[in-house]
Amino acid sequence: MVLVHSSVSQRRLEPFLSPSQFLRRQQVLQLYRKILRAIREVPAEVDRRYLKDWAREEFRRNKEAREEDAIRMMITQGNMQLQELQRTLKLAKS
């Protein structure tokens, strides 16, 4: 008897996402990328590192959130924080 070892069995299988969950996931990833791009514009290395660590920790901490309303609220708060960072960077450049 020959046992075939499948790489599929080694991977962690994620549950299928509903269309709304898929869209929320895309929004979260897009927000994360925008935040990291904005952080790259911060002139001071120490501040960049702090903000990058902060962003990573916030997203990790909320990774397991599943409630649609809570996720929507976090996306809204994240967008407001991104806008504030962008305004601050704009003011610093002028």
Side-chain angles (χ1 to χ4, degrees), residues 7 18 22 26 29 31 42 44 49-50 57 62 67 84:
S7 63
S18 72
F22 178 80
Q26 295 306 311
L29 292 173
L31 175 61
V42 173
R49 192 174 307 125
Y50 172 80
E57 182 54 34
N62 294 302
E67 248 183 79
E84 182 63 30

Side-chain angles (χ1 to χ4, degrees), residues 39-51 89:
I39 290 171
R40 281 188 225 138
E41 302 297 317
V42 173
E45 173 66 30
V46 173
D47 294 337
R48 266 196 316 272
R49 192 174 307 125
Y50 172 80
L51 288 169
L89 289 170

Side-chain angles (χ1 to χ4, degrees), residues 28-69:
V28 170
L29 292 173
Q30 183 180 38
L31 175 61
Y32 184 65
R33 289 183 198 111
K34 285 180 181 179
I35 289 171
L36 291 181
R37 275 189 219 108
I39 290 171
R40 281 188 225 138
E41 302 297 317
V42 173
E45 173 66 30
V46 173
D47 294 337
R48 266 196 316 272
R49 192 174 307 125
Y50 172 80
L51 288 169
K52 193 173 181 180
D53 290 345
W54 166 80
R56 281 183 177 159
E57 182 54 34
E58 284 296 306
F59 279 83
R60 273 192 196 124
R61 188 166 54 87
N62 294 302
K63 183 178 180 180
E64 301 303 321
R66 296 289 179 253
E67 248 183 79
E68 284 283 322
D69 290 339

